[in-house]
Amino acid sequence: MSTPTTRRTAAPARPVRTPARRPATGVPTQRGPRGPWTPRPGGPSVAMLDRRRTVLVVVVALLLTVFSGRLLWLQGVGGDAIAAEALTSRLTTAQLVAARGTITDSEGEVLATSVDRYDIVVNQRLVKTWSTTEDGTTYSGAAGAAQLMAPILGVNAAELGATLDGDAGYKYVAKNVLPEVWQAVRELRINGITSEQVAERVYPNGNLAGNLLGWVNSEGSGAQGLEATLDADLSGTPGETTYERGRGGQQIPGGFEESTAATDGRSVQLTINSDIQWKAQQAIEQQVAKTGSDSGTIVMSAIKTGEVLAMAESRTVDPNDPGADDTLWGGSSAVSDVFEPGSTAKIITMAAAIETGITDPLEQYTVPYNYTTANGQTFKDSHEHAGMQLTTTGILAESSNTGTVMIGQDLPEQVRHDYLAKFGFGQKTGIELPAEQAGRLWDADKWDGRTKYAVLFGQGLSVTALQATDVFATIANGGVRVTPHLVKGWTEPDGTFTPSQAAETTQVVSPETAQTVLTMMESAVDEGTGSAAAIPGYRVAGKTGTAQAWAADGTQGITASFIGVAPADDPAIAVSVILHNPRTSEWGGTVAAPVFSDVAGYALTELGIAPSGTQPQLFPTTW
């Protein structure tokens, strides 16, 4: 059997592809799966695409060149300036408070001092962005910040939240908080909560000497009293610090910081003795209440130095809260209120008459109740009486108006004026207090027919309590007038103490005349109208005074006073007690002299002044 055979059929031959040739135009072709590519009719030409590529390359190159140049400028040429500008935007400047100087009394007891406090401030825009988590609770924004801060500040959280909420860049949250309160708030690290250091003025003795000290305003500047007149020295010079702050207003640790230190103020030591000031203040307040007076003043000065030891008034402001009583203006009426001195001014007439030789302490006069001068002016004494046989000393001791006119009428009018001026009337003393008044002393050629005699017994002119006291201190100081003052010395921030320069002095009358008048004044206490001013163990010289005045209700009233010195044998202090419109009695010997005895006696003991060791040799008062 034969094997079958398979017939194979030859495959058809594949066509041979001829490579494409470039067209004569030079347009490239592109091979693809289906054959050569040719530009789409109506599309961009190859040349146009080449141009686009070229433009793109150029643009990219230009951009890279610009960026490279900018980078080079930033890092090289302008880098410092840009860095400085950026730093400036992060800098903030705060004032460094200068410590205000302390005010102390003559013994170093603090009367006014400053303590550190802080004003808390908020940037409300920054608080909005703040959040924190404590003890699993999340706090955020103004409400969350208020919840954390309220217990520390002791305020209502809702009210505090209202204060923190808003768009203000600067707003006070709390003022004058204690350092420990601010530290507790600061530790919360709340964005936008910052502080300003301030100083709070504190007066540890309340209203003691408040009429002299004054107070500072909300800006920390002296607004009244010594705080105002001595402000330039007490306040010092503030410094400042500039630092780099973060977004929340906090200082960046290790960042830029530059400071100019503050220069603290100088501290002042006053001549005031706190214990004597307290005694005088208590005494005048009690006597004003007891007598129903409108007001009262006590002034005490050291005779030889002019230092004011006390200047007390019946209504004295508390500098810690000066607005508590709007009827108190806060100044010292002892230098601002003027009044007719009355009979206390008679010692000027006596000093002038003795100094010029018109009379002597023993000259004899028959003194009537009424006396009419050559120009027809009639004057009378306070009490009706028959003719009294008095010496010059007796006229002063009995405070006779008619007798004083009889003596003083022989003084030329200009001489009368000149002696009043020499003793300080009509001019400011220059004491370191604001609102001091000069009083009123008309020129002699302006005196009318009555005034030229009335000035001899303290009417027709006006003075302050300090001026009136100064007259007696001058007589007790051998006729030498010493400018009264309140500043004993200054202490620099480094602790160096510099005493004040010695006060200016003026010889008003001779030592002999002064001693004669001082002895005559002793008779006014021992035998005359001022007997209630006596101090056991001490010799006292002084003079009572009663003068017409106007009451607060507009009716006519009086000013009653006693001014004296002690010890008369070695004068140390001059003290005036002045009451305006007392209702219980109009006589200075009744309402003012006992207060002098109480306050002056206390001061002599406080100052360690020994009792008098001699007995007075007084001039006779009658003949």
Side-chain angles (χ1 to χ4, degrees):
M1 180 174 191
S2 60
T3 302
T5 59
T6 301
R7 183 178 292 180
R8 297 188 179 193
T9 304
R14 294 182 181 180
V16 179
R17 293 182 180 180
T18 304
R21 298 181 181 273
R22 293 180 181 272
T25 57
V27 177
T29 61
Q30 180 175 344
R31 294 183 182 274
R34 298 182 182 273
W37 175 88
T38 58
R40 180 174 55 85
S45 66
V46 174
M48 184 178 296
L49 291 174
D50 285 342
R51 285 196 297 271
R52 287 179 179 178
R53 291 191 187 98
T54 301
V55 170
L56 180 60
V57 170
V58 171
V59 170
V60 171
L62 287 175
L63 288 175
L64 290 175
T65 302
V66 171
F67 290 153
S68 298
R70 180 63 174 170
L71 181 61
L72 179 63
W73 188 86
L74 289 175
Q75 293 184 340
V77 180
D80 292 341
I82 294 173
E85 183 179 353
L87 177 61
T88 300
S89 69
R90 298 192 302 274
L91 294 181
T92 188
T93 299
Q95 188 178 78
L96 298 177
V97 178
R100 190 173 180 85
T102 300
I103 302 177
T104 64
D105 78 342
S106 59
E107 302 300 314
E109 182 176 340
V110 174
L111 299 176
T113 189
S114 296
V115 293
D116 288 339
R117 294 291 185 267
Y118 290 85
D119 291 344
I120 299 179
V121 180
V122 61
N123 182 331
Q124 295 173 335
R125 295 189 292 268
L126 295 178
V127 169
K128 288 181 177 181
T129 66
W130 167 86
S131 67
T132 189
T133 301
E134 293 188 8
D135 300 328
T137 302
T138 299
Y139 301 88
S140 62
Q147 291 182 51
L148 294 175
M149 292 173 60
I152 299 173
L153 297 178
V155 297
N156 180 271
E159 294 177 357
L160 180 58
T163 300
L164 300 179
D165 186 37
D167 293 311
Y170 184 94
K171 187 174 183 178
Y172 284 110
V173 176
K175 288 190 171 184
N176 291 327
V177 302
L178 296 171
E180 53 266 33
V181 172
W182 161 239
Q183 183 61 32
V185 172
R186 182 181 182 182
E187 290 175 356
L188 297 175
R189 297 184 175 276
I190 299 173
N191 282 2
I193 299 296
T194 57
S195 73
E196 297 173 349
Q197 184 179 2
V198 295
E200 182 182 5
R201 200 64 164 167
V202 176
Y203 304 88
N205 297 301
N207 72 345
L208 182 72
N211 56 314
L212 305 178
L213 297 174
W215 60 83
V216 298
N217 59 24
S218 59
E219 303 299 322
S221 300
Q224 189 56 268
L226 292 168
E227 292 277 27
T229 56
L230 305 179
D231 186 65
D233 288 294
L234 290 170
S235 60
T237 304
E240 67 176 26
T241 180
T242 300
Y243 59 89
E244 195 173 353
R245 54 169 168 50
R247 184 179 180 185
Q250 76 280 7
Q251 183 174 357
I252 298 176
F256 176 87
E257 182 178 8
E258 185 175 76
S259 299
T260 300
T263 301
D264 293 342
R266 305 167 73 197
S267 294
V268 63
Q269 183 175 26
L270 302 182
T271 60
I272 294 294
N273 181 296
S274 292
D275 291 335
I276 297 175
Q277 176 74 20
W278 173 84
K279 175 64 176 180
Q281 201 164 309
Q282 294 295 312
I284 197 62
E285 287 176 353
Q286 292 172 3
Q287 190 68 352
V288 164
K290 181 178 178 180
T291 60
S293 302
D294 290 346
S295 60
T297 304
I298 294 177
V299 177
M300 182 185 300
S301 64
I303 289 172
K304 294 178 175 61
T305 64
E307 295 180 348
V308 176
L309 304 177
M311 191 177 284
E313 297 168 26
S314 55
R315 301 184 70 239
T316 303
V317 68
D318 182 351
N320 293 298
D321 190 11
D325 187 344
D326 57 11
T327 66
L328 300 177
W329 71 281
S332 174
S333 62
V335 300
S336 63
D337 291 358
V338 297
F339 55 92
E340 289 191 345
S343 295
T344 57
K346 290 174 180 174
I347 68 167
I348 297 179
T349 299
M350 295 300 174
I354 292 173
E355 183 83 348
T356 57
I358 288 176
T359 191
D360 63 58
L362 301 176
E363 188 162 345
Q364 300 171 350
Y365 298 87
T366 299
V367 181
Y369 168 63
N370 289 311
Y371 181 77
T372 301
T373 61
N375 68 348
Q377 298 294 321
T378 298
F379 299 92
K380 62 182 181 179
D381 281 340
S382 58
H383 299 87
E384 189 170 351
H385 60 79
M388 295 187 297
Q389 294 180 312
L390 299 175
T391 63
T392 301
T393 300
I395 289 173
L396 182 64
E398 293 298 328
S399 196
S400 171
N401 292 338
T402 58
T404 302
V405 171
M406 292 170 66
I407 294 172
Q409 66 185 349
D410 293 331
L411 285 168
E413 293 175 28
Q414 189 59 49
V415 173
R416 303 174 203 179
H417 178 280
D418 290 347
Y419 272 92
L420 290 167
K422 286 180 180 180
F423 275 96
F425 287 6
Q427 55 196 290
K428 297 179 181 180
T429 67
I431 197 166
E432 308 92 334
L433 286 173
E436 183 184 13
Q437 300 299 308
R440 186 187 65 201
L441 175 61
W442 299 115
D443 292 337
D445 58 7
K446 294 182 179 179
W447 287 343
D448 60 27
R450 187 170 185 81
T451 300
K452 65 182 180 181
Y453 294 106
V455 295
L456 296 170
F457 53 88
Q459 295 184 10
L461 49 80
S462 64
V463 298
T464 65
L466 181 61
Q467 288 174 322
T469 310
D470 197 29
V471 171
F472 285 73
T474 298
I475 290 294
N477 195 39
V480 177
R481 182 178 165 217
V482 183
T483 301
H485 57 281
L486 282 163
V487 175
K488 191 168 187 176
W490 291 92
T491 300
E492 304 298 329
D494 64 4
T496 303
F497 178 77
T498 304
S500 297
Q501 294 182 348
E504 295 183 1
T505 61
T506 304
Q507 188 77 48
V508 177
V509 295
S510 67
E512 294 77 18
T513 295
Q515 182 58 52
T516 297
V517 175
L518 184 64
T519 303
M520 293 167 63
M521 286 163 52
E522 278 200 81
S523 294
V525 175
D526 280 17
E527 303 177 27
T529 58
S531 58
I535 302 172
Y538 294 90
R539 290 168 55 182
V540 176
K543 183 72 186 73
T544 58
T546 299
Q548 294 180 346
W550 294 98
D553 58 8
T555 60
Q556 187 172 2
I558 58 97
T559 297
S561 61
F562 180 89
I563 309 177
V565 300
D569 51 332
D570 186 14
I573 57 174
V575 184
S576 65
V577 179
I578 299 166
L579 293 162
H580 297 291
N581 297 306
R583 271 62 176 187
T584 57
S585 173
E586 64 183 68
W587 309 116
T590 301
V591 296
V595 181
F596 170 92
S597 176
D598 182 28
V599 174
Y602 176 89
L604 292 170
T605 301
E606 182 69 23
L607 297 172
I609 297 173
S612 298
T614 61
Q615 294 297 317
Q617 301 295 316
L618 303 180
F619 302 121
T621 58
T622 60
W623 57 277

